Amino acid sequence: MILQETSSPASVWNNIEGIAYGGDYNPEQWPASVRLEDLELMQEAGVSFLSVGIFSWALLEPAEGTYHFAWLDEVMDNLAGIGVKVALATATAAPPAWLVRKHPEILPVTADGTVLGPGSRRHYTPSSAVYRRYATGITRVLAERYKDHPALALWHVDNELGCHVSEFYGEEDTAAFRAWLERRYGNIEALNAAWGTAFWSQHYGSFEEILPPAVAPSTLNPGQQLDFQRFNSWALMDYYRELVAVLREVTPGVPCTTNLMASSATKSMDYFDWAKDLDVIANDHYLVAADPERQIELAFSADLTRGIAGGDPWILMEHSTSAVNWQPRNQPKMPGEMLRNSLAHVARGADAVMFFQWRQSFAGSEKFHSAMVPHGGRDTRVWREVVDLGAALKRLAPVRGSRVESRVAIVFDYEAWWASEIDSKPSIDVKYLDLLRAFHRALFLRGVSVDVVHPSAILDGYDLVLVCTLYSVTDDAAANIAAAAAAGATVLVSYFSGIADKNDHVRLGGYPGAFRELLGVRVEEFHPLLAGTQLKLSDGAVSSVWSEHVHLAGADAVQTFTEYPLEGVPSLTRRPVGAGSAWYLATFPDRDGIESVVDRLLEESGVAAAAAADPGVELTRRRSDDGRTFLFAINHTRSSATVQASGAELLSGQAFDGTVPAGGVVVIAEG
Ligand code: GLA
């Protein structure tokens, strides 16, 4: 028998029954009497999982080497007593005042040289050796103290790494950037080649000459900008790994994660890359109250999170019960919206529903942020909805561990996002997410599930693959996408895809270099549109943002531009490829135009909605290993809607009668 020398951490799910429920718990803000009441209320709400101690460092270690653990011991014991599991934080997301006073060099520095001071949170740079020494120190002390505690189920490492500040320009950051570049390129001439430094006399003689791309008279080297993005994303994860190394040593069986912020608003961290170091994917998501289609942005965030998780169940680590405090106007959630939001995340693969935070603060800058226990206490709509949600999640226990069914993939790449939005491109109106989200929206409205996947993901099993403004791409990823078409998928590639390689060097010989052959087109010149301009297309559709001079080279034109100087030039093409096809979209159609392209693609690929339903009903299906399926139907309208499905409705425990109440949710165990 071969004995394993290293043990891998247990799955967090082994420790939790059903769909986990809870939130951030900050008991240090409250007296003992309130903490006792918390235990009762948690049981009333059905809480099973809490993140504890995220911002507790200054109270746990009030002076260097002096520790006050009594309050946290009591909290952990009490939570264990009521069967609640804990994601215990490393407490490192806000360094204490004594540490800043002793070592101000840990503070982050911005591009213009401003030092970001204390009095808030996240005031450290991840490349500070001193900060890492202190952060690993408190992490080790916490791990040693609670390693055998029955409540401990997961390590919550730091908090939202890269939130508030995600680019670091201090001296230690510069040194770390140089070291990272040296490891990446080996020698300075390789860097010169990658950055194209023959341009504008930018050649470097040694790594010591390199600075972060801060402020300069004109546009900065794109290779330098791209590598600085990569470096910062790496530096945050490198810091995470150093904390995790301590946790692995002391508590090898306890899984570790950190809460991501995957959504349309977070660009700076390559979460597909980060996922390799997380034992379970956890995400935080906040609705933008002013967005009338906020449920679609939520769906996009959840689909992206599932993609980052490789399709595995994930933790919704934070969302809000009602209003937040950091948008310009903080509208509360509408009645029933919290249930719809929570179950939309579950519908899209979350097996844990958690909030910021358990009890609404009475002091501090987040006192007007909603929580599970509002300022008004139990006699409030929010509390009643929190209790109802706890009961609903209990009834969804059978869903735990099942996976979302999807035959459509949208390719998503943080590197392409970064590269495509570096300055000096053909048009500032090409924003990486715009077209991608327009397709996601059209599919959402049709009740078609979409996996948001990395370009290197295994694409077998997808019947429709969408590649939107994937400006930069590796040869391997381009081949992966082409192989999907050859194997039978309908693949659509849009304008401004496959233009550059990973060094942001243009692929020569006609655009879109990486996909020219697959698509059977050659683009000679870009014709981005002026602001506010629209184009008419041959089938009556209207588009904006982009047009270009496309030549057919094996593809057929499906639709053409109609206006000078591109009259008759293809705007949409199709080429049969192996068992599938490759479509090329050379412009950004308006909503109706996108929907009609999507309808054609769905028809060709044979992909249909998860069920037939009235408009306004969000649909997804989760399938368990043993073949049971669960259809989620979320009615975003204010009138009742019908869905054609049959089976037991898990939330009511009754047979599904074909109706989803206004603003309501049903989860049907089909069959
Ligand atoms: C983030 C943080 C939390 C809290 C919430 C408020 O998600 O992780 O500590 O500040 O925002 O929305």
Side-chain angles (χ1 to χ4, degrees):
M1 193 172 99
I2 300 171
L3 289 173
Q4 291 262 317
E5 282 190 47
T6 51
S7 59
S8 49
S11 164
V12 66
W13 307 115
N14 294 349
N15 263 315
I16 293 164
E17 280 172 27
I19 307 287
Y21 186 42
D24 286 8
Y25 184 35
N26 297 303
E28 64 271 38
Q29 297 176 13
W30 299 96
S33 58
V34 174
R35 298 206 296 258
L36 280 180
E37 187 199 39
D38 283 340
L39 300 173
E40 278 167 37
L41 294 180
M42 284 170 186
Q43 291 176 88
E44 185 178 338
V47 163
S48 57
F49 198 31
L50 293 168
S51 287
V52 178
I54 297 173
F55 298 103
S56 305
W57 193 349
L59 292 181
L60 290 173
E61 190 180 0
E64 186 170 357
T66 305
Y67 298 101
H68 283 183
F69 279 116
W71 67 270
L72 186 55
D73 291 352
E74 177 211 291
V75 166
M76 292 289 282
D77 292 351
N78 286 345
L79 292 178
I82 60 167
V84 168
K85 296 293 175 186
V86 170
L88 187 59
T90 55
T92 48
W98 57 259
L99 176 53
V100 179
R101 182 159 174 242
K102 184 169 176 190
H103 289 292
E105 70 273 23
I106 68 170
L107 295 171
V109 179
T110 63
D112 64 3
T114 304
V115 177
L116 301 177
S120 177
R121 64 176 175 183
R122 302 214 52 74
H123 43 287
Y124 68 85
T125 176
S127 296
S128 161
V130 167
Y131 189 66
R132 285 182 180 216
R133 193 173 79 237
Y134 281 91
T136 49
I138 183 71
T139 297
R140 183 177 293 279
V141 170
L142 279 160
E144 291 288 357
R145 187 162 192 98
Y146 296 105
K147 63 184 173 192
D148 297 320
H149 201 285
L152 176 64
L154 179 68
W155 285 109
H156 180 122
V157 177
D158 209 280
N159 189 63
E160 290 193 341
L161 295 165
C163 182
H164 311 315
V165 203
S166 57
E167 290 177 353
F168 304 91
Y169 294 84
E171 270 177 36
E172 268 187 293
D173 309 304
T174 302
F177 181 42
R178 288 179 187 141
W180 181 87
L181 289 168
E182 202 159 351
R183 285 195 299 279
R184 182 175 176 87
Y185 292 108
N187 64 74
I188 196 68
E189 288 314 331
L191 175 143
N192 280 307
W195 287 12
T197 57
F199 179 81
W200 279 359
S201 183
Q202 289 171 352
H203 186 270
Y204 291 97
S206 76
F207 286 98
E208 288 309 302
E209 293 171 3
I210 293 171
L211 294 169
V215 276
S218 182
T219 46
L220 287 148
N221 181 299
Q224 183 187 10
Q225 293 189 61
L226 192 52
D227 271 341
F228 193 58
Q229 287 266 16
R230 290 176 177 138
F231 160 72
N232 281 302
S233 177
W234 171 86
L236 288 161
M237 230 334 86
D238 193 54
Y239 160 68
Y240 168 89
R241 281 189 291 262
E242 195 164 334
L243 299 189
V244 168
V246 172
L247 297 170
R248 290 271 194 268
E249 195 191 315
V250 185
T251 56
V254 180
C256 300
T257 194
T258 189
N259 41 348
L260 309 181
M261 301 171 284
S263 78
S264 57
T266 302
K267 175 180 172 185
S268 300
M269 281 74 69
D270 185 343
Y271 288 149
F272 282 101
D273 187 39
W274 283 26
K276 298 169 198 150
D277 287 303
L278 309 181
D279 295 327
V280 59
I281 298 298
N283 199 50
D284 297 350
H285 181 264
Y286 289 93
L287 289 182
V288 176
D291 179 357
E293 292 191 333
R294 49 194 182 268
Q295 73 274 17
I296 305 183
E297 199 281 328
L298 182 157
F300 173 72
S301 161
D303 291 342
L304 173 58
T305 305
R306 186 175 72 255
I308 292 165
D312 289 341
W314 47 279
I315 296 172
L316 175 65
M317 191 69 102
E318 290 179 25
H319 68 150
S320 66
T321 56
S322 192
V324 299
N325 65 303
W326 44 263
Q327 291 173 13
R329 291 160 201 88
N330 294 299
Q331 197 178 234
K333 288 193 178 177
M334 297 297 120
E337 192 170 6
M338 182 188 75
L339 179 84
R340 293 195 294 280
N341 292 165
S342 299
L343 297 194
H345 284 290
V346 175
R348 291 169 192 277
D351 274 359
V353 172
M354 302 172 73
F355 293 95
F356 174 82
Q357 60 177 327
W358 163 251
R359 187 183 276 276
Q360 186 167 10
S361 304
F362 65 88
S365 58
E366 292 187 317
K367 57 185 172 294
F368 293 117
H369 192 297
S370 61
M372 298 172 82
V373 184
H375 286 158
R378 290 176 77 254
D379 190 14
T380 53
R381 172 178 71 92
V382 166
W383 175 252
R384 284 186 284 276
E385 291 195 8
V386 162
V387 173
D388 289 350
L389 175 59
L393 292 175
K394 276 217 168 64
R395 295 192 200 108
L396 294 187
V399 171
R400 231 287 286 278
S402 59
R403 295 164 75 92
V404 175
E405 265 189 359
S406 174
R407 293 169 60 196
V408 182
I410 292 187
V411 169
F412 182 98
D413 185 19
Y414 287 97
E415 291 228 348
W417 188 355
W418 300 339
S420 66
E421 293 184 1
I422 288 174
D423 55 73
S424 312
K425 292 296 192 308
S427 171
I428 58 164
D429 295 328
V430 178
K431 296 267 182 262
Y432 180 63
L433 290 184
D434 286 354
L435 184 71
L436 194 153
R437 290 211 41 220
F439 275 105
H440 183 270
R441 173 183 183 276
L443 291 159
F444 175 99
L445 294 176
R446 278 158 179 67
V448 175
S449 289
V450 182
D451 287 348
V452 178
V453 301
H454 190 261
S456 64
I458 296 164
L459 297 175
D460 298 357
Y462 292 113
D463 296 307
L464 177 58
V465 177
L466 301 172
V467 180
C468 302
T469 52
L470 189 72
Y471 164 74
S472 59
V473 67
T474 62
D475 292 347
D476 284 353
N480 187 40
I481 290 162
T490 293
V491 173
L492 175 124
V493 178
S494 87
Y495 62 89
F496 220 49
S497 297
I499 306 298
D501 65 16
K502 282 292 169 183
N503 289 330
D504 196 7
H505 294 184
V506 171
R507 294 170 173 274
L508 301 177
Y511 315 119
F515 297 116
R516 219 164 45 217
E517 206 176 304
L518 167 70
L519 300 166
V521 297
R522 182 174 65 83
V523 175
E524 185 184 326
E525 194 174 21
F526 303 139
H527 289 245
L529 273 59
L530 296 179
T533 327
Q534 289 193 322
L535 289 177
K536 273 221 177 68
L537 306 171
S538 56
D539 59 3
V542 173
S543 71
S544 62
V545 177
W546 193 263
S547 64
E548 56 186 15
H549 195 163
V550 180
H551 296 278
L552 297 175
D556 299 317
V558 176
Q559 177 203 58
T560 55
F561 295 109
T562 64
E563 292 174 40
Y564 177 79
L566 298 178
E567 311 97 305
V569 168
S571 51
L572 180 65
T573 69
R574 179 181 182 278
R575 175 176 171 250
V577 179
S581 67
W583 294 65
Y584 183 58
L585 177 64
T587 190
F588 190 160
D590 68 3
R591 284 184 167 180
D592 290 347
I594 291 278
E595 295 198 18
S596 97
V597 172
V598 164
D599 285 337
R600 280 172 196 245
L601 299 174
L602 290 176
E603 195 186 328
E604 180 179 295
S605 57
V607 177
D614 284 342
V617 178
E618 176 180 349
L619 297 166
T620 61
R621 180 174 283 110
R622 288 181 62 159
R623 180 181 290 273
S624 64
D625 281 349
D626 60 10
R628 284 171 304 143
T629 60
F630 305 96
L631 180 70
F632 286 72
I634 303 172
N635 184 355
H636 293 284
T637 74
R638 288 170 66 190
S639 38
S640 77
T642 60
V643 173
Q644 282 177 34
S646 61
E649 203 284 292
L650 295 180
L651 298 175
S652 62
Q654 311 284 312
F656 179 56
D657 65 0
T659 310
V660 192
V665 184
V666 296
V667 183
I668 304 152
E670 293 173 298

Coordinates of all heavy atoms in Angstrom, one line a residue, residues 178-191 207:
R178 N 9.5 43.7 -11.3 CA 10.7 43.4 -12.0 C 11.1 41.9 -11.9 O 11.4 41.2 -12.8 CB 11.9 44.2 -11.5 CG 11.8 45.7 -11.9 CD 13.0 46.4 -11.3 NE 12.8 47.9 -11.6 CZ 13.1 48.8 -10.7 NH1 13.7 48.5 -9.6 NH2 12.9 50.1 -11.1
A179 N 11.0 41.4 -10.6 CA 11.3 40.0 -10.4 C 10.3 39.1 -11.2 O 10.7 38.0 -11.8 CB 11.2 39.7 -8.9
W180 N 9.1 39.5 -11.2 CA 8.0 38.7 -11.9 C 8.4 38.7 -13.4 O 8.3 37.7 -14.1 CB 6.7 39.3 -11.7 CG 5.5 38.6 -12.3 CD1 4.8 37.6 -11.8 CD2 4.9 39.0 -13.6 NE1 3.8 37.2 -12.7 CE2 3.9 38.1 -13.8 CE3 5.2 39.9 -14.5 CZ2 3.1 38.1 -14.9 CZ3 4.4 40.0 -15.7 CH2 3.4 39.1 -15.9
L181 N 8.7 39.9 -13.9 CA 9.1 40.0 -15.4 C 10.3 39.1 -15.7 O 10.4 38.4 -16.7 CB 9.4 41.4 -15.8 CG 8.2 42.3 -15.8 CD1 8.6 43.8 -15.9 CD2 7.2 42.0 -16.9
E182 N 11.3 39.1 -14.8 CA 12.5 38.3 -15.0 C 12.2 36.8 -15.1 O 12.7 36.1 -15.9 CB 13.5 38.6 -13.9 CG 14.9 38.3 -14.4 CD 16.0 39.0 -13.5 OE1 15.6 40.0 -12.8 OE2 17.2 38.7 -13.7
R183 N 11.3 36.4 -14.2 CA 10.9 35.0 -14.2 C 10.1 34.7 -15.5 O 10.2 33.6 -16.1 CB 10.0 34.7 -13.0 CG 10.8 34.5 -11.7 CD 9.9 33.9 -10.6 NE 8.7 34.6 -10.3 CZ 8.7 35.7 -9.5 NH1 9.8 36.1 -8.9 NH2 7.5 36.3 -9.2
R184 N 9.3 35.6 -15.9 CA 8.4 35.4 -17.1 C 9.3 35.3 -18.4 O 9.0 34.5 -19.2 CB 7.4 36.5 -17.2 CG 6.4 36.4 -18.4 CD 5.4 37.5 -18.3 NE 4.5 37.4 -19.4 CZ 3.4 36.7 -19.5 NH1 3.0 35.9 -18.5 NH2 2.6 36.7 -20.6
Y185 N 10.2 36.2 -18.5 CA 11.0 36.4 -19.7 C 12.4 35.8 -19.7 O 12.9 35.6 -20.8 CB 11.0 37.8 -20.2 CG 9.6 38.4 -20.5 CD1 9.0 39.2 -19.7 CD2 9.0 37.9 -21.7 CE1 7.7 39.7 -20.0 CE2 7.7 38.4 -22.0 CZ 7.1 39.3 -21.2 OH 5.8 39.7 -21.5
G186 N 12.9 35.6 -18.6 CA 14.3 35.0 -18.5 C 15.4 36.0 -18.8 O 16.3 36.1 -18.1
N187 N 15.3 36.7 -19.9 CA 16.3 37.7 -20.2 C 15.6 38.9 -20.8 O 14.5 38.9 -21.3 CB 17.3 37.1 -21.2 CG 16.8 36.8 -22.5 OD1 16.4 37.7 -23.3 ND2 16.5 35.5 -22.7
I188 N 16.3 40.0 -20.7 CA 15.7 41.3 -21.1 C 15.4 41.4 -22.6 O 14.4 42.1 -22.9 CB 16.6 42.5 -20.6 CG1 15.8 43.8 -20.6 CG2 17.9 42.6 -21.4 CD1 14.8 43.9 -19.5
E189 N 16.1 40.7 -23.4 CA 15.8 40.8 -24.8 C 14.5 40.1 -25.1 O 13.7 40.6 -26.0 CB 16.9 40.3 -25.7 CG 18.2 41.2 -25.8 CD 17.9 42.7 -26.0 OE1 16.8 43.0 -26.6 OE2 18.6 43.5 -25.5
A190 N 14.1 39.1 -24.4 CA 12.8 38.5 -24.6 C 11.7 39.4 -24.2 O 10.7 39.5 -24.9 CB 12.7 37.2 -23.8
L191 N 12.0 40.2 -23.1 CA 11.0 41.2 -22.8 C 10.9 42.3 -23.8 O 9.8 42.7 -24.2 CB 11.3 41.8 -21.4 CG 10.4 43.0 -21.0 CD1 10.2 42.9 -19.4 CD2 11.0 44.4 -21.3
F207 N 16.5 44.7 -16.4 CA 15.2 44.7 -15.7 C 15.2 45.8 -14.7 O 14.1 46.3 -14.4 CB 15.0 43.3 -15.0 CG 14.6 42.2 -16.0 CD1 15.6 41.3 -16.4 CD2 13.3 42.1 -16.4 CE1 15.2 40.3 -17.3 CE2 13.0 41.1 -17.3 CZ 13.9 40.2 -17.8

